[in-house]
Amino acid sequence: MVEISSDVIRGYNDTMILYILRKAPSYGYEISKQIKQLSDGKYVIKETTLYSAFTRMEKNGYIESFTAAPEADGGGKRRTYYRITGNGQQYYKEKCEEWNLTKEVVEHFITAEE
Amino acid sequence: METIKNYLEAMFANLPRTPEVIKAKDELWQMMEDKYNELREEGRSENEAVGVVISEFGNLDELAETLGLEKAVEESHELMELEPRRQLTMDEVRDFLHAQMARGTMMGIGVMFCIACPIWVILLGDTILEGIGVLLLLVQVALAVGMFVFASNRHARWKYIYKEPCSIDYATADYVASEKERYNLGLKGQRTMGILLCALCWVPAMLFDTIGLAKLSVMDNIVAVLLLLMVGFGVFFIINSSIVRASFEKILKLNDEKTMSSQFVDAQKGLYENPRLNNLMSVYWPTVTCIYLSYSFLTFNWGSSWLIWPIAGIAHSVIKKNMGSVKQA
């Protein structure tokens, strides 16, 4: 079975995370679970990759972190949550455009022929 | 779950202890814990869940890059090669702790023998057995010295723990911390008992005095013997408990203070001590013993020379309290 090479996907981890955070603030495991689900289990993000992305994007001002306990399981453990910022929204849109262009370009060179 | 914790702690053990690294470790732990719990809820076996979590963890090099730790990670690799820390096994640590308990008992008994040695002379002093009293005194001191020598010879086996840089893994640190906790109450009890015995050693004298027995001269001797025995046992308890306690703390602070491995045990504050003072303190009790014996033998003032023990004990804890721990960076 073909697996995604981490070099290729690296540039788009941020995009995936921002896509999820656009809907609602979330925390580490929840985000990694959603990435797995939305990709039909074809991509599992590593914990270190995810945390690196958080740190980098927070430094660049695309996301903000805060500590909270989830309301769902009452008195649940406190976790670090992330929310998207205005800059993050902007960055997400740019990344989408970039991907569309990338896809378009690379598509020209992809064939199903043996 | 314990396996995951061990894995994470081992990964981080040699990284510098900075707020960024601590935060990274905490958050990675959160994610791993969440993932593990969910896998278990889905009905996966313990082993399976652990396997999945560890295989999906990723690698630290990637993290080092983002945390600006490439240099630190490289340095820690270099340091490991230049000055490799000796990794102590759990069995080794267990043997060390047991040996220290035996040493505490021996040193305690030795000092107690030294303190109580005059009782023979006091009891047999004015009788025809005076000679035997002196002999018993000398035998008892010889026994004490023998114990000191034996205990320090056996202790020499563990010299490397004090001289070489050593380290312990997370599981061992966890074990020692729980052992320390388990013995904590007993050690505190012994210490309190020891201090009480020393502090209250004059009570028999006072009691005998009040009930009017002091007129009999033989009572003076009995009071003196009781006093020496109380101080002797008191000091035994104090020495034994502090040697055992010190051995736990020695192991718990083996790991390099500047790396994450020093965080294996919570509440580490105050554990890392001023190394200079430690060198000084290692000769503290032998010096006191020396002073005590030379003063006592020179002046034969056994009646009051024992006072050096409670004073030395209090001075010891005052010095340790005030100068013992280095401020944490």
Side-chain angles (χ1 to χ4, degrees):
Chain A
M1 204 187 88
V2 191
E3 274 186 32
I4 299 178
S5 99
S6 58
D7 282 340
V8 170
I9 202 97
R10 179 176 296 162
Y12 289 92
N13 284 323
D14 291 3
T15 318
M16 295 182 213
I17 297 166
L18 291 174
Y19 171 82
I20 290 160
L21 292 181
R22 267 158 60 93
K23 292 184 212 152
S26 186
Y27 59 90
Y29 176 60
E30 185 61 37
I31 294 172
S32 85
K33 200 167 68 176
Q34 286 198 40
I35 290 177
K36 193 179 171 187
Q37 278 168 0
L38 291 170
S39 68
D40 292 329
K42 288 186 186 109
Y43 180 50
V44 178
I45 192 166
K46 306 265 189 205
E47 261 76 36
T48 50
T49 311
L50 192 57
Y51 186 73
S52 301
F54 287 156
T55 327
R56 199 176 47 241
M57 288 203 286
E58 195 172 14
K59 211 181 279 169
N60 292 337
Y62 301 148
I63 58 172
E64 288 168 347
S65 64
F66 59 100
T67 318
E71 311 95 39
D73 44 333
K77 69 172 184 177
R78 296 180 68 77
R79 292 186 176 87
T80 310
Y81 277 72
Y82 294 92
R83 73 164 82 83
I84 191 165
T85 64
N87 279 346
Q89 300 275 10
Q90 188 60 39
Y91 176 65
Y92 173 75
K93 275 178 208 138
E94 284 163 21
K95 287 300 278 185
C96 288
E97 282 164 28
E98 182 194 306
W99 173 248
N100 282 329
L101 182 63
T102 312
K103 197 170 64 177
E104 200 189 307
V105 170
V106 177
E107 198 66 36
H108 290 300
F109 305 93
I110 302 296
T111 171
E113 288 167 27
E114 279 294 313
Chain B
M1 192 77 128
E2 199 58 16
T3 320
I4 301 179
K5 185 84 183 153
N6 285 343
Y7 174 78
L8 187 66
E9 295 287 359
M11 292 286 269
F12 272 83
N14 290 314
L15 292 185
R17 206 176 81 187
T18 64
E20 290 83 26
V21 176
I22 294 172
K23 188 171 160 256
K25 200 194 87 183
D26 285 348
E27 200 156 327
L28 286 166
W29 172 240
Q30 274 181 28
M31 294 189 217
M32 292 172 109
E33 202 183 19
D34 284 342
K35 191 179 264 182
Y36 173 84
N37 287 336
E38 191 150 308
L39 288 165
R40 293 288 283 158
E41 271 167 34
E42 283 169 9
R44 307 280 199 107
S45 74
E46 159 105 36
N47 284 340
E48 221 178 325
V50 168
V52 171
V53 171
I54 288 180
S55 69
E56 290 178 4
F57 172 75
N59 68 70
L60 226 48
D61 291 341
E62 183 175 21
L63 210 60
E65 215 173 295
T66 354
L67 294 176
L69 286 174
E70 293 133 303
K71 238 181 96 190
V73 170
E74 217 169 279
E75 273 168 11
S76 87
H77 286 315
E78 276 169 21
L79 197 70
M80 289 292 282
E81 277 162 25
L82 278 175
E83 189 195 325
R85 282 186 170 256
R86 183 173 178 156
Q87 181 91 17
L88 304 184
T89 65
M90 174 108 71
D91 288 337
E92 210 173 356
V93 167
R94 198 177 286 134
D95 287 350
F96 171 75
L97 292 177
H98 288 156
Q100 293 309 297
M101 285 177 194
R103 175 169 162 254
T105 314
M106 287 196 120
M107 299 291 279
I109 293 178
V111 176
M112 179 175 73
F113 274 16
C114 284
I115 295 173
C117 66
I119 61 173
W120 305 110
V121 181
I122 297 171
L123 286 176
L124 306 171
D126 296 325
T127 68
I128 42 163
L129 296 173
E130 189 167 4
I132 294 179
V134 174
L135 190 71
L136 284 174
L137 177 150
L138 291 175
V139 167
Q140 196 167 319
V141 172
L143 275 177
V145 172
M147 281 185 181
F148 291 143
V149 172
F150 184 70
S152 24
N153 276 345
R154 289 228 314 200
H155 190 52
R157 193 195 138 194
W158 303 103
K159 205 165 69 188
Y160 65 90
I161 292 188
Y162 296 85
K163 298 276 190 264
E164 291 172 32
C166 296
S167 63
I168 49 172
D169 62 14
Y170 173 73
T172 310
D174 203 42
Y175 160 77
V176 178
S178 70
E179 283 294 284
K180 186 181 173 218
E181 195 56 41
R182 195 158 71 86
Y183 281 98
N184 191 29
L185 203 64
L187 291 176
K188 271 197 175 138
Q190 276 197 31
R191 198 183 162 76
T192 314
M193 181 83 129
I195 293 171
L196 274 179
L197 279 171
C198 287
L200 298 178
C201 61
W202 48 272
V203 168
M206 200 194 68
L207 276 179
F208 280 33
D209 212 29
T210 347
I211 55 176
L213 281 170
K215 280 169 211 130
L216 301 162
S217 70
V218 70
M219 278 303 149
D220 277 348
N221 291 344
I222 290 178
V223 163
V225 167
L226 277 177
L227 182 145
L228 288 174
L229 284 179
M230 282 175 78
V231 176
F233 276 102
V235 172
F236 165 78
F237 285 132
I238 294 174
I239 289 182
N240 182 45
S241 61
S242 39
I243 286 181
V244 174
R245 175 179 301 276
S247 71
F248 285 127
E249 293 185 351
K250 177 72 207 165
I251 294 294
L252 288 179
K253 67 185 179 203
L254 278 179
N255 285 338
D256 188 349
E257 193 185 354
K258 292 185 205 72
T259 67
M260 289 295 282
S261 57
S262 63
Q263 269 215 329
F264 283 172
V265 183
D266 295 336
Q268 280 282 20
K269 282 203 187 83
L271 211 53
Y272 285 87
E273 285 165 347
N274 191 338
R276 257 212 195 128
L277 182 77
N278 272 355
N279 285 338
L280 201 72
M281 291 318 260
S282 65
V283 294
Y284 185 85
W285 289 113
T287 312
V288 173
T289 313
C290 249
I291 296 174
Y292 171 73
L293 287 177
S294 8
Y295 175 79
S296 305
F297 273 111
L298 286 175
T299 63
F300 258 78
N301 198 358
W302 298 93
S304 50
S305 63
W306 59 270
L307 271 169
I308 193 175
W309 296 108
I311 294 171
I314 293 166
H316 186 262
S317 34
V318 169
I319 296 170
K320 278 238 151 170
K321 268 258 152 56
N322 289 329
M323 300 161 61
S325 58
V326 232
K327 288 227 162 58
Q328 298 275 316

